[in-house]
Amino acid sequence: MVKQVELAREMDMSVSILGQIEQGKRIPSDEQLIKIAAILDIQLVELKGEVKEGE
């Protein structure tokens, strides 16, 4: 599991901005989403919540 502080550091952004993205107060760019998915080692569709349970 990646901690928020570690993810923010990898993304070269503040924890505050990352928190705003998590809360839906800030919309990340496609590039940021791709990077977050890569860091978390998940598919982009998973990060966007587009995967249905059981898939």
Side-chain angles (χ1 to χ4, degrees), residues 17-29:
I17 290 175
L18 185 58
Q20 290 174 7
I21 291 171
E22 289 178 339
Q23 296 168 19
K25 295 179 180 177
R26 181 181 290 247
I27 298 173
S29 67

Side-chain angles (χ1 to χ4, degrees), residues 1-50:
M1 180 186 332
V2 178
K3 295 183 179 179
Q4 189 180 44
V5 137
E6 296 167 346
L7 181 57
R9 188 178 313 121
E10 289 285 328
M11 294 294 299
D12 195 30
M13 68 174 56
S14 71
V15 174
S16 175
I17 290 175
L18 185 58
Q20 290 174 7
I21 291 171
E22 289 178 339
Q23 296 168 19
K25 295 179 180 177
R26 181 181 290 247
I27 298 173
S29 67
D30 288 340
E31 182 179 301
Q32 289 172 321
L33 287 174
I34 292 167
K35 190 170 182 180
I36 290 169
I39 292 167
L40 298 177
D41 194 29
I42 61 173
Q43 296 292 317
L44 188 56
V45 292
E46 290 179 84
L47 183 62
K48 290 182 168 185
E50 295 173 357

